């Protein structure tokens, strides 16, 4: 039945996955991710941010590299006070 803490097919805990179209996928942990090269990345954190843009230096974990780097105020122009 939806909303129950255990999967009716085997008693495995159900994991919540949150999708953000502008950022990572958030998964309730612990999490294991099977990578393309056959290795497995594991995190025991209670919530894990999984990179979907592949810009992260800590891939498959998100390090917020997808965010735009913008200045709060433009730099002053030369010759103007």
């Amino acid at each position: 039945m939806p909303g129950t803490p255990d999967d009716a097919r085997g008693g495995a805990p159900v994991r919540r996955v949150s999708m953000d179209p502008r950022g990572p996928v958030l998964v309730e942990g612990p999490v294991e991710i099977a990578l393309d090269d056959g290795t497995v990345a594991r995190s025991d954190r209670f919530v894990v941010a999984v990179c979907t843009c592949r810009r992260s230096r800590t891939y498959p974990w998100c390090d917020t590299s997808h965010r735009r780097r913008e200045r709060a105020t433009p730099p002053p122009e030369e010759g103007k006070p």
Side-chain angles (χ1 to χ4, degrees):
M1 179 157 113
T4 58
D6 292 333
D7 185 325
R9 291 171 283 151
V14 175
R15 299 288 177 209
R16 181 178 306 267
V17 176
S18 302
M19 308 289 288
D20 181 348
R22 296 177 300 140
V25 174
L26 301 177
V27 182
E28 290 183 1
V31 174
E32 285 187 351
I33 298 178
L35 300 172
D36 293 339
D37 64 2
T39 61
V40 175
R42 179 174 171 80
S43 175
D44 292 320
R45 297 185 67 150
F46 66 95
V47 174
V48 177
V50 180
C51 177
T52 58
C53 69
R54 294 193 174 249
R55 294 182 205 158
S56 176
R57 282 175 265 141
T58 60
Y59 186 83
W61 316 122
C62 178
D63 67 1
T64 68
S65 293
H66 61 275
R67 293 183 183 163
R68 288 187 178 148
R69 305 287 185 219
E70 294 181 9
R71 293 179 185 226
T73 58
E77 294 181 30
E78 287 186 36
K80 292 187 179 181

